[in-house]
Amino acid sequence: MKVYCTSPWIPVEWVCAHGHEPCGVWAAVDELPSATAEGVCPFARALVELASKNHQAAFVFTTACDQSRRAADAVLLQSHTPVFLFNLPATWQTPAAHRLYRAELARLGRFLERLGGFSPSYLELMLVIRRYSEQRAMLLDLIQHSPARQAAEAVMQYFWPDHAKKPASAGKVTAHGVPVALIGGPLLPSQWGIFDVIESAGGRVVLNATEPGERCLVPQLTLSTDNSDLQAVLADHYLDHWVDVFQRPNTRLYDWLAVRIAQRGVRAILLWVNLHCDLWRAEAQTLRNRFGLPVVMLEAHDIPANLNRVTTRLAALIETVRSGSRPADLHQPRKSEPYAVQRTNPGDSP
Amino acid sequence: MTTVPQQISLEEWDARYTELQQAGLHEPEYGGPLSRHVECEGDLRLRQLRFDNSAAALRLWNFLLTENERLHKARAQGDLLVGTMKDLGTVPAMVYSLPGVRAFYPDGTWWTPCLMSCTDRLLEQAEALGIEALSCPVRAMLAAFENQEHFPIPDLLICSVGATCDDFSAIAQRLAHLGHPVIWWEIPRRRVPDPDESACPLPGGLSAPQVQVELVREEIERVAVALGDAAKRKLDTQLLQAGIRAANVVRRQLAALRTAVYGSAGAPLPALEMLIAEMLAIHFCSDRTECIAVLEELLAEAQARLAARQFIAPPDAVRIYWVNPPADLRAINLLEECGGRLCGADFMFTHALEPIPEDLPPIDALARVALADPMIGSATERARRIVADCRKTNAEAVVVARIPGASHCPWESEQIRSIVRAETGLPTVELEVPPICDGLLPTLRHRLETVIEIARARRKSK
């Protein structure tokens, strides 16, 4: 059975090991609804519509955000589609958070079995974990050497191998363009045009931290012969490594970004947000203060609807960054901000 | 009770205050005429509100409106101040178990823009701090932390996360980024136990899987340790048991008040004062002892009025069940103005009105109450409880107040309304209430009048 996973923190290997086909939901959403009720996240609304129409598949929603958990309620109220609401812990530094995540993974396993799946043997689970883990390692390496769009396609394939007919091609990374980071929430294949827009404006995405981007790939998990409880090992590995805005505190997101922003010489941050996504929108100021880089908020519903507006804004940003001056909206880091750092940015790219 | 109950304006309260004083009114330290809150604190919105004219209501309002002042005084006297966020009722019950420690909800600042008619500029300041205007008015809290012109900065900040509103979680995180350390504790999304799981009963007739209760218990234990460390005194079972017993005194008082007011033919107290009184349950308005005295007087007033068959709203007023607190207090005055009255409410903290079990180990009891929060379960579960309440209180219509920018409202409002309609046939209406609703008053009034008219028509057809 197709099991649509609405979050990268639902281990696809766990779904696969139970005999189902994991489908990263991002590839299934063609486009966001043009109009939603005020206050409703268009992505969450799109998931409700998708789930309500797909009675033959199952959907795993999460509590990563209020919109997602309430979207699950809406599906349960209006359709017979099997829905599992996975309680992702917001905290991550406590034994309780680990126990919660482990328990939810076990509960998901039972749900998958009820849908006709099976409980994997130790060996079966080990092989699946190893396979996915190796794929992630290859993917993380590939991302470093691929243009952003191809990398996005490859990541999408990891979360849903059969969604695309063509395998992702490595392509060639262009050395031109101002290096930028694209950070934020769900980025659908129908919105990948944003990569072209960024390039045509003179930039290039060297860090895709949207969903599902590089941020959504937990590192390789090396299993040892001591691992008697593979389920617990898998759960702990995910919880110890996932990087997301909803975590409290969300310092891990900033630590993860800091390393990559410095390594890749990022000169500007593009914050990719959905309408009414409180969690990502509230981070704009902290991103500015923490990294001392210009941050431009890109509204997901503007792609492709308001392409010209987006292109103009991006061109202005890139031009400003190239010229070495700082955009007017960029304020100096406040002294009271613990994360405030002075910008130590490498030189302009060729 | 010496005069006919009625709702009066702030100006009328000045004359009433003199009258009460001449009659020998005895007030607590924080007493005084209501109009001083406009003059000294800039609580301009009071000029547009209609208040109950009893001495008990005066005490209630003075208690509410002096909270920041009392907190500053407590700090000066060496009390430890704990800012608790989001859980609405559970952590304060623990905090007040420790002598010399007070809890308050910085979240309560969401009403400051309303009270000060936006002259506080907190909402604009929050925008400058990175929280957009699209977000819930609770963003005022962030600005209040930064400008330090309202409540004192707490010595300890504790916030529940997990099944909470995105807007609040985002604002609390921004607060942490701005250098205010937060102790985060996990509150999972309450779910119905699976058939193969052991279930645990919760207050309010709910249940949750035992595994969730254990998780919350562990988190509350962690909070208790942090509180004990900050207070330099272990928060042990004995202290907690005493704290729970005292919290239950308040909860029982409120239960009696709700029964008296909501259950009577006419309304002995107005909706606005009932909203304020219910709010006291969550953190005792920073003074548990005084909270008990305030509620005692209010309950006595309601009972005296009932005995004398004197009402604020007459027995033929339409019985309205209200869901969610309105961002502008003025909106709830409309109930009586349009011919309605409050007969029950879910102001988002029904769990804080439920008695905390005293026959369980205290941490376990607190975990169960925390898990009974109406906002952490499904909208269906919340709606079913509202349906049961409506039946119990003979509600004739349901008003769902929408908080602009609150992440839960757009999803659950319609779900609650459709379940209520399907299961009770009651007319329902949704009112979006911004912090100052003057511009929308005609619309809000029309919507309320319509639903009240429909309820009256249903009465006749029965």
Side-chain angles (χ1 to χ4, degrees):
Chain A
M1 185 185 231
K2 277 190 164 66
V3 175
Y4 288 93
C5 300
T6 65
S7 162
W9 317 127
I10 306 299
V12 278
E13 53 270 59
W14 187 243
V15 176
C16 179
H18 282 77
H20 294 286
E21 181 191 354
C23 310
V25 79
W26 310 274
V29 178
D30 290 333
E31 55 185 24
L32 298 178
S34 53
T36 59
E38 196 188 337
V40 171
C41 159
F43 180 66
R45 170 51 61 191
L47 295 185
V48 173
E49 283 167 21
L50 184 72
S52 301
K53 285 183 209 149
N54 278 279
H55 304 290
Q56 305 307 316
F59 280 74
V60 183
F61 284 80
T62 72
T63 56
C65 68
D66 205 15
Q67 301 265 0
S68 166
R69 80 173 161 112
R70 292 184 184 279
D73 283 351
V75 179
L76 285 166
L77 202 63
Q78 69 190 50
S79 83
H80 298 293
T81 304
V83 169
F84 184 91
L85 179 56
F86 196 113
N87 201 138
L88 289 175
T91 51
W92 50 278
Q93 294 161 313
T94 64
H98 280 79
R99 260 194 293 282
L100 172 59
Y101 188 67
R102 284 183 188 188
E104 285 296 279
L105 208 56
R107 196 167 67 87
L108 175 62
R110 296 194 292 273
F111 171 80
L112 294 171
E113 285 170 41
R114 284 199 297 276
L115 293 178
F118 52 83
S119 177
S121 67
Y122 181 90
L123 189 64
E124 282 165 338
L125 184 56
M126 190 182 70
L127 289 174
V128 175
I129 290 175
R130 195 170 280 167
R131 177 157 55 86
Y132 273 90
S133 187
E134 281 163 4
Q135 275 182 34
R136 282 198 304 275
M138 281 164 55
L139 206 45
L140 283 166
D141 184 56
L142 177 98
I143 285 168
Q144 310 277 333
H145 310 101
S146 304
R149 192 171 175 138
Q150 270 103 325
E153 200 175 301
V155 176
M156 194 67 82
Q157 269 195 293
Y158 168 82
F159 285 102
W160 188 357
D162 291 341
H163 95 277
K165 298 279 177 274
K166 281 190 299 180
S169 54
K172 197 181 160 196
V173 179
T174 167
H176 301 290
V178 171
V180 299
L182 184 63
I183 299 170
L187 178 67
L188 310 177
S190 61
Q191 296 166 326
W192 283 346
I194 189 64
F195 295 117
D196 305 331
V197 175
I198 293 166
E199 282 192 18
S200 67
R204 69 190 158 98
V205 176
V206 294
L207 175 60
N208 176 1
T210 62
E211 192 179 298
E214 180 181 345
R215 178 175 62 79
C216 302
L217 298 169
V218 295
Q220 188 169 14
L221 167 59
T222 311
L223 297 174
S224 75
T225 47
D226 302 339
N227 302 135
S228 57
D229 185 351
L230 285 181
Q231 184 185 324
V233 171
L234 180 69
D236 289 348
H237 185 70
Y238 265 76
L239 185 54
D240 287 341
H241 292 96
W242 90 50
V243 175
D244 213 324
V245 70
F246 72 89
Q247 292 183 291
R248 293 293 174 266
N250 64 14
T251 43
R252 198 150 74 184
L253 169 69
Y254 284 87
D255 294 343
W256 186 90
L257 288 171
V259 173
R260 286 153 187 84
I261 282 173
Q263 272 174 358
R264 300 176 198 182
V266 169
R267 305 285 313 276
I269 293 172
L270 308 177
L271 183 57
W272 179 256
V273 291
N274 266 305
L275 203 59
H276 306 299
C277 174
D278 296 324
L279 294 175
W280 277 111
R281 300 179 92 88
E283 295 302 322
Q285 198 92 310
T286 308
L287 284 167
R288 280 192 190 100
N289 295 331
R290 168 80 194 249
F291 299 115
L293 294 171
V295 174
V296 166
M297 207 183 276
L298 296 179
E299 305 277 353
H301 63 268
D302 276 343
I303 303 290
N306 293 313
L307 220 49
N308 287 346
R309 193 170 83 94
V310 176
T311 310
T312 310
R313 288 181 69 207
L314 285 176
L317 170 78
I318 303 292
E319 220 175 279
T320 316
V321 172
R322 266 194 206 285
S323 69
S325 58
R326 305 174 61 144
D329 72 282
L330 175 63
H331 69 266
Q332 289 295 321
R334 291 156 43 112
K335 278 188 185 148
S336 65
E337 297 229 10
Y339 290 152
V341 288
Q342 290 306 312
R343 186 174 164 208
T344 51
N345 210 44
D348 210 349
S349 60
Chain B
M1 189 205 64
T2 50
T3 51
V4 177
Q6 56 179 315
Q7 286 171 286
I8 58 175
S9 68
L10 192 70
E11 289 75 30
E12 288 168 323
W13 244 115
D14 280 343
R16 172 82 178 126
Y17 184 73
T18 312
E19 196 182 295
L20 283 170
Q21 269 195 318
Q22 283 164 355
L25 173 72
H26 178 73
E27 286 190 282
E29 201 186 16
Y30 55 81
L34 283 186
S35 56
R36 81 184 195 282
H37 299 293
V38 176
E39 288 142 24
C40 308
E41 307 295 327
D43 292 339
L44 301 171
R45 195 61 175 156
L46 301 183
R47 287 181 179 153
Q48 278 85 44
L49 301 182
R50 309 275 304 168
F51 307 88
D52 183 81
N53 66 342
S54 64
L58 173 74
R59 186 173 183 175
L60 174 74
W61 278 102
N62 275 329
F63 186 47
L64 174 80
L65 297 170
T66 56
E67 186 179 13
N68 286 341
E69 193 185 314
R70 289 185 286 106
L71 280 169
H72 280 288
K73 228 178 247 179
R75 156 73 50 81
Q77 285 165 3
D79 279 3
L80 186 84
L81 302 184
V82 178
T84 60
M85 301 196 287
K86 201 62 212 158
D87 67 293
L88 300 184
T90 306
V91 173
M94 302 166 71
V95 171
Y96 284 93
S97 304
L98 285 159
V101 190
R102 283 167 202 264
F104 71 99
Y105 281 95
D107 328 14
T109 316
W110 87 296
W111 262 322
T112 303
C114 160
L115 278 172
M116 299 185 73
S117 289
C118 291
T119 53
D120 52 292
R121 304 190 60 78
L122 286 173
L123 297 178
E124 289 92 327
Q125 288 168 31
E127 255 187 277
L129 290 165
I131 303 296
E132 296 177 333
L134 277 176
S135 193
C136 174
V138 78
R139 67 187 187 277
M141 172 186 82
L142 181 68
F145 265 97
E146 283 297 279
N147 72 21
Q148 301 186 22
E149 289 170 7
H150 299 270
F151 51 77
I153 301 305
D155 300 296
L156 193 66
L157 260 181
I158 298 169
C159 183
S160 65
V161 282
T164 54
C165 320
D166 291 338
D167 43 273
F168 194 87
S169 174
I171 292 163
Q173 177 60 75
R174 181 81 188 113
L175 197 60
H177 284 313
L178 286 168
H180 300 275
V182 176
I183 295 172
W184 308 96
W185 65 280
E186 187 84 31
I187 186 79
R189 192 261 191 195
R190 184 183 63 244
R191 60 180 173 81
V192 175
D194 288 339
D196 53 355
E197 283 181 308
S198 62
C200 180
L202 304 179
L206 298 162
S207 75
Q210 185 64 34
V211 66
Q212 287 197 324
V213 177
E214 277 157 23
L215 170 95
V216 177
R217 190 168 52 204
E218 196 175 332
E219 288 295 84
I220 286 183
E221 243 157 20
R222 190 160 61 82
V223 171
V225 170
L227 286 171
D229 289 348
K232 297 188 174 58
R233 178 168 180 180
K234 190 172 185 264
L235 186 48
D236 59 22
T237 303
Q238 234 174 347
L239 282 173
L240 274 172
Q241 279 169 336
I244 287 173
R245 278 195 299 274
N248 279 343
V249 170
V250 174
R251 292 174 187 219
R252 273 194 296 273
Q253 281 180 315
L254 280 165
L257 187 68
R258 283 164 65 98
T259 305
V261 177
Y262 299 152
S264 68
L269 288 175
L272 179 55
E273 276 72 12
M274 284 304 290
L275 164 65
I276 307 296
E278 288 203 12
M279 265 166 45
L280 301 188
I282 62 173
H283 72 285
F284 321 119
C285 204
S286 302
D287 185 338
R288 195 177 57 193
T289 310
E290 188 55 30
C291 173
I292 291 170
V294 167
L295 287 175
E296 203 170 80
E297 198 175 326
L298 205 60
L299 179 60
E301 179 68 28
Q303 286 166 339
R305 287 178 178 183
L306 284 175
R309 292 201 55 77
Q310 290 185 325
F311 305 115
I312 284 288
D316 70 337
V318 169
R319 299 174 67 80
I320 305 281
Y321 191 92
W322 191 288
V323 181
N324 295 336
D328 186 351
L329 298 172
R330 175 74 185 91
I332 207 156
N333 266 168
L334 288 177
L335 261 194
E336 288 94 4
E337 290 171 24
C338 295
R341 58 155 298 191
L342 200 62
C343 74
D346 171 348
F347 291 129
M348 291 176 24
F349 49 79
T350 50
H351 61 305
L353 301 171
E354 297 287 348
I356 306 168
E358 291 182 31
D359 55 347
L360 294 171
I363 296 281
D364 191 11
L366 290 162
R368 293 189 197 204
V369 173
L371 267 169
D373 184 338
M375 305 307 293
I376 66 164
S378 71
T380 307
E381 219 171 30
R382 190 178 179 203
R384 296 255 148 80
R385 188 190 164 119
I386 290 167
V387 165
D389 272 3
C390 285
R391 288 191 174 127
K392 223 185 298 173
T393 58
N394 297 318
E396 296 174 284
V398 175
V399 172
V400 181
R402 230 175 114 150
I403 303 162
S407 62
H408 57 95
C409 283
W411 289 96
E412 68 170 4
S413 295
E414 189 41 48
Q415 288 172 13
I416 289 172
R417 287 180 64 202
S418 67
I419 291 171
V420 168
R421 275 193 306 261
E423 296 197 11
T424 66
L426 294 179
T428 68
V429 70
E430 189 178 61
L431 305 178
E432 179 157 276
V433 184
I436 293 295
C437 70
D438 290 348
L440 291 174
L441 268 180
T443 312
L444 297 176
R445 192 183 292 275
H446 284 150
R447 290 175 73 83
L448 258 181
E449 280 170 352
T450 305
V451 81
I452 285 173
E453 197 54 45
I454 294 170
R456 281 195 198 284
R458 289 181 85 239
R459 237 186 228 177
K460 284 178 197 156
S461 67
K462 273 184 187 170

